[in-house]
Amino acid sequence: MNMRASLLLFTLAALPGKALAGNGSWHGYLSQGVTQSINSNFLTDNDSVTGELTELGINGRYEFDQSLAVVGQVVYLDGGNRYEKGSRLDYLFVDWTLPDLGEWQGHVHLGRFKNRHWLYSATRDVPHTRATSVLPQSVYYDGFRDIALGSDGALLQLTRLTEHGLWEINWSYGRSSISDEQTQAFLGTNVQGKAKQDYVHQFSVFWQPPSMNWRIGGSLLESDFRYEPAPMDELIGGTTNIRRVMLSFEYFSKNWELSAEFLKEYQQDSGAYSPDYYNSRIGEGGFVQLRYMFTPEISGLVMQDIYDLNREDRKGNMLEASTGGVIPAYFGYMDTTTVGLRWDIAPNWRLQGEHHWVQGGARIRGLLNPQTQLQSQSHWRMWAVQLMYWF
């Protein structure tokens, strides 16, 4: 961790205990792991075993009165090749509890709010709330971690408890900034311009029966991106439109829990590579995950995750042909089988391990980078062991 990130986290850890006394609270977490990806550069280069699995965070809530509060979190992340290394402000928003809405309770979040539309979208930033260190990439693609975690804008959340169950409705509109490093990961290392998100518009509905032991929901997403080329650039101006439809389900029992999400993603690309370039595809995927609690402290997990970049090209043959063989066919899909084990070794301490067997590379970041294509094979695997502490 660099000196700047260390100083930032130390300062935040030292101040909130005073600043929030009596009117709020603050929490934090520290997590360090050891990891390796073999025959791919999804996590590490050259099959290396590394400690690039570091997560440090401080989050807090300050309440001005019963209806108005400020919530925020700053983190330091080192996740290998999955996303940009360093510190960032994950979210910082005003939480306004709406006045009486009859049988509905409502909140509005203004600022850099958190995505609350998917099962794990609002908890993916905290290591001890995740079932695995690496989430199912079909839905929670780590290359989009910072973009998908939250946006600058507004979110409305409404809940209603009835004799037939609990309803939750979420609506949000905003945008996220895209760094130069992210732009190069998505479009190639030689690009000089900037990728920008114009907006992301989301809506979701969830329902739980009176028993509260299962939950089902659906969400819609639409987002526009554009590329603004530099004066001397290999690319020209271009646009991308993404629409996502997703179904979510989770079930809780005394000793086990089951969760699943399935998505269909429509993407249209225009320009960027040439004035007449146009590409339209429909991606599909999802995961099913089962966790069993052997004891209150020890649990195991199995998960199957699948993703096809284009449902009309599930084996990737059209992808390879359209790029003249530059991108191999197995980058058109990614199927993962995961086994994990968790041990709560003491209060607020957890040791978690997992192993992933993978076919394909559609969710490996930097597909246009020759190094990615050279180092990532059609069959590969990865593992991680992570020690976590939270307070």
Side-chain angles (χ1 to χ4, degrees), residues 200-211:
V200 57
H201 189 191
Q202 296 194 72
F203 177 81
S204 60
V205 177
F206 288 90
W207 177 74
Q208 285 181 271
S211 63

Side-chain angles (χ1 to χ4, degrees), residues 16 20 25-27 58-62 70-73 91:
L20 301 183
S25 60
W26 64 280
H27 303 278
I58 295 290
N59 56 69
R61 178 183 179 89
Y62 185 87
V70 173
V71 185
Q73 174 172 282
Y91 56 88

Side-chain angles (χ1 to χ4, degrees), residues 65-364:
D65 54 40
Q66 292 184 345
S67 63
L68 197 64
V70 173
V71 185
Q73 174 172 282
V74 63
V75 299
Y76 172 84
L77 300 177
D78 184 0
N81 298 328
R82 293 178 292 159
Y83 40 70
E84 192 171 355
K85 174 182 176 180
S87 57
R88 65 260 275 159
L89 179 68
D90 266 348
Y91 56 88
L92 180 62
F93 60 86
V94 173
D95 180 5
W96 176 37
T97 302
L98 296 177
D100 181 39
L101 298 173
E103 296 182 345
W104 291 87
Q105 290 77 48
H107 287 262
V108 171
H109 295 171
L110 299 173
R112 181 168 296 179
F113 62 86
K114 294 189 75 173
N115 179 1
R116 307 188 65 88
H117 299 280
W118 316 335
L119 286 185
Y120 306 125
S121 58
T123 58
R124 67 182 298 178
D125 56 308
V126 181
H128 56 277
T129 62
R130 295 195 304 262
T132 50
S133 299
V134 179
L135 288 170
Q137 294 297 290
S138 62
V139 177
Y140 301 95
Y141 175 39
D142 279 330
F144 274 124
R145 187 262 182 199
D146 294 339
I147 299 173
L149 178 65
S151 303
D152 298 327
L155 177 142
L156 170 65
Q157 182 182 43
L158 298 172
T159 58
R160 182 184 178 186
L161 181 61
T162 73
E163 62 180 4
H164 302 295
L166 176 66
W167 288 93
E168 178 184 328
I169 298 175
N170 302 293
W171 170 91
S172 66
Y173 188 92
R175 53 182 286 183
S176 297
S177 60
I178 302 175
S179 68
D180 293 340
E181 198 267 351
Q182 289 173 317
T183 299
Q184 293 177 2
F186 300 140
L187 296 175
T189 56
N190 295 325
V191 301
Q192 302 296 317
K194 293 281 295 183
K196 296 184 177 181
Q197 184 181 51
D198 290 327
Y199 72 90
V200 57
H201 189 191
Q202 296 194 72
F203 177 81
S204 60
V205 177
F206 288 90
W207 177 74
Q208 285 181 271
S211 63
M212 295 295 175
N213 65 334
W214 59 278
R215 184 173 183 240
I216 190 170
S219 63
L220 303 172
L221 175 151
E222 183 168 12
S223 182
D224 271 359
F225 296 85
R226 57 191 162 92
Y227 179 73
E228 297 180 349
M232 300 293 292
D233 203 328
E234 292 184 355
L235 302 184
I236 63 173
T239 62
T240 293
N241 174 263
I242 295 176
R243 289 173 291 134
R244 173 187 278 196
V245 180
M246 191 157 69
L247 297 177
S248 305
F249 172 81
E250 55 185 343
Y251 177 83
F252 306 96
S253 182
K254 180 180 179 181
N255 294 321
W256 58 277
E257 58 187 52
L258 177 70
S259 59
E261 290 186 289
F262 305 98
L263 68 86
K264 181 173 288 188
E265 195 167 69
Y266 304 80
Q267 180 168 332
Q268 294 180 326
D269 305 307
S270 301
Y273 301 104
S274 68
D276 58 351
Y277 176 79
Y278 177 79
N279 179 56
S280 178
R281 65 174 177 84
I282 301 175
E284 291 181 336
F287 69 91
V288 177
Q289 177 178 279
L290 175 67
R291 174 173 294 282
Y292 184 81
M293 278 63 75
F294 300 104
T295 71
E297 295 80 25
I298 299 175
S299 64
L301 172 143
V302 292
M303 187 254 294
Q304 184 66 45
D305 181 36
I306 61 173
Y307 180 73
D308 294 324
L309 194 66
N310 187 343
R311 70 174 184 177
E312 304 297 329
D313 184 32
R314 298 192 187 278
K315 295 184 178 180
N317 295 325
M318 293 166 53
L319 173 66
E320 182 171 345
S322 67
T323 61
V326 173
I327 300 179
Y330 56 81
F331 282 100
Y333 57 90
M334 186 162 148
D335 301 336
T336 306
T337 300
T338 300
V339 174
L341 189 64
R342 172 188 292 176
W343 177 28
D344 290 336
I345 55 182
N348 296 355
W349 284 91
R350 175 174 294 162
L351 184 64
Q352 186 165 286
E354 63 206 67
H355 200 115
H356 307 255
W357 292 267
V358 190
Q359 298 182 41
R363 289 306 207 185
I364 296 178

